[in-house]
């Protein structure tokens, strides 16, 4: 019996989760509790929906003409919680020459799971790593967990010459301090295999979800950053 994983959403025309147009599968479950998360329904591992790697490939093949310059992206939640599923899908994508991207927080990376990561990098997926905050204390405040696994994953990818992107969400009053952005610049300027850095502006689309789920939202009054805010942050982070 093939392994399956719980999911909460599938986008058949994703344009922001990796290069090109992509099939994006949002898997259920996440160990982080980011205060600005726009998918709080993804936190629990419980779901009435499940999917197998073969079923993902089947959906992809139905629309493969759209994905000529794209591929498949696993997002979440935290997709790498589902190790067997990710390995099987990576294997299938590799066999069929389909681009696979993994959108991850790096939260599960640790010595006890490194064998899984070593197996996974053999299939050469594109890693999209979300840095929640470069300041360790603020990272813990925002996510509820340590930054250590996140940074360890990036170091692992560097050692193994894996290509990856890095993303950070720009949240006013939380991740936009110029001192922190300059620290992030210093960090990424020493990376050799990072192909792209992206700033994702915080949006309020998930606000109502917190009410529906009966969850407290500590950033309910935070406004979305302006285009000028994003431009200023990019300048600080990407300045040469």
């Amino acid at each position: 019996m093939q392994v399956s994983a719980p999911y909460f959403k599938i986008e058949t025309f994703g344009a922001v989760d990796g290069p090109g147009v992509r099939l994006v599968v949002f898997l259920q479950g996440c160990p982080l509790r980011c205060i600005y998360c726009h998918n709080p329904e993804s936190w629990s591992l419980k779901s009435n929906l499940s999917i197998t790697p073969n079923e993902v490939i089947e959906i992809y093949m139905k629309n493969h003409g759209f994905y000529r310059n794209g591929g498949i992206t696993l997002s979440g939640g935290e997709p790498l919680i589902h190790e067997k599923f990710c390995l099987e899908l990576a294997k299938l994508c590799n066999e069929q020459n389909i681009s696979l991207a993994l959108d991850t927080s790096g939260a599960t990376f640790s010595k006890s799971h490194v064998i899984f990561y070593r197996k996974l990098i053999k299939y050469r997926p594109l890693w999209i790593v979300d840095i929640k905050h470069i300041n360790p204390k603020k990272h813990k405040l925002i996510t509820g967990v340590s930054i250590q696994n996140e940074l360890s994953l990036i170091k692992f990818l560097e050692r193994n010459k894996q290509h990856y992107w890095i993303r950070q969400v720009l949240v006013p009053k939380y991740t936009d301090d110029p001192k922190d952005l300059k620290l992030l610049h210093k960090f990424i300027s020493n990376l050799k295999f990072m192909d792209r850095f992206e700033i994702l502006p915080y949006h309020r689309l998930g606000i109502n979800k917190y009410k529906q789920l009966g969850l407290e939202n500590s950033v309910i009054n935070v406004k979305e950053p302006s285009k000028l805010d994003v431009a200023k942050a990019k300048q600080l982070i990407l300045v040469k």
Side-chain angles (χ1 to χ4, degrees):
M1 184 175 179
Q2 192 180 44
V3 65
S4 64
Y7 73 96
F8 66 95
K9 182 171 63 172
I10 293 177
E11 289 184 3
T12 56
F13 200 81
V16 296
D17 296 286
V21 177
R22 309 184 74 82
L23 171 66
V24 187
V25 181
F26 294 82
L27 299 184
Q28 193 78 34
C30 185
L32 275 62
R33 294 295 180 266
C34 300
I35 60 175
Y36 55 78
C37 180
H38 61 279
N39 288 324
E41 73 274 27
S42 73
W43 293 350
S44 171
L45 278 167
K46 296 179 181 179
S47 175
N48 294 322
L49 303 171
S50 65
I51 195 166
T52 67
N54 277 340
E55 288 172 335
V56 174
I57 298 296
E58 288 174 9
I59 297 172
Y60 174 89
M61 294 307 295
K62 288 179 181 178
N63 301 289
H64 66 90
F66 289 108
Y67 307 130
R68 191 175 298 110
N69 297 313
I72 297 171
T73 297
L74 288 183
S75 188
E78 172 49 62
L80 298 185
I81 288 176
H82 307 284
E83 295 185 358
K84 292 181 179 179
F85 177 91
C86 291
L87 279 174
E88 182 61 27
L89 182 61
K91 179 182 177 182
L92 291 174
C93 287
N94 183 260
E95 290 172 351
Q96 300 190 42
N97 198 30
I98 298 171
S99 165
L100 176 65
L102 303 171
D103 186 355
T104 177
S105 67
T108 68
F109 187 87
S110 64
K111 289 182 179 179
S112 60
H113 291 268
V114 74
I115 293 176
F116 158 66
Y117 283 88
R118 286 173 180 163
K119 290 178 180 178
L120 196 53
I121 63 173
K122 292 179 181 179
Y123 299 113
R124 296 282 170 177
L126 169 65
W127 299 76
I128 302 176
V129 184
D130 297 314
I131 287 189
K132 305 301 182 181
H133 206 298
I134 195 63
N135 181 302
K137 290 183 179 179
K138 293 180 180 179
H139 185 285
K140 183 67 179 291
L141 177 67
I142 286 174
T143 68
V145 302
S146 167
I147 194 176
Q148 190 56 49
N149 289 2
E150 206 169 285
L151 298 183
S152 294
L153 171 60
I154 293 173
K155 293 176 182 177
F156 173 82
L157 297 176
E158 284 283 319
R159 288 196 305 271
N160 289 279
K161 301 180 180 179
Q162 298 287 305
H163 289 275
Y164 60 94
W165 295 6
I166 287 181
R167 287 174 161 180
Q168 185 175 65
V169 179
L170 188 68
V171 187
K173 300 181 181 180
Y174 287 90
T175 66
D176 63 345
D177 188 320
K179 293 181 180 178
D180 295 323
L181 298 178
K182 290 177 181 178
L183 187 62
L184 183 56
H185 160 73
K186 184 178 181 181
F187 174 73
I188 67 172
S189 64
N190 293 316
L191 302 175
K192 296 180 179 179
F193 293 94
M194 184 191 76
D195 293 335
R196 182 169 178 167
F197 178 87
E198 292 183 334
I199 288 182
L200 305 180
Y202 164 73
H203 62 72
R204 294 173 53 83
L205 297 178
I207 292 294
N208 288 332
K209 294 180 181 180
Y210 286 82
K211 295 179 181 178
Q212 295 168 0
L213 294 169
L215 297 172
E216 182 181 352
N217 188 333
S218 58
V219 296
I220 192 169
N221 295 317
V222 173
K223 295 181 179 180
E224 296 178 350
S226 66
K227 290 183 179 180
L228 181 58
D229 293 333
V230 174
K232 287 181 178 178
K234 281 185 178 180
Q235 188 175 22
L236 287 172
I237 296 169
L238 300 177
V239 63
K240 295 182 179 180

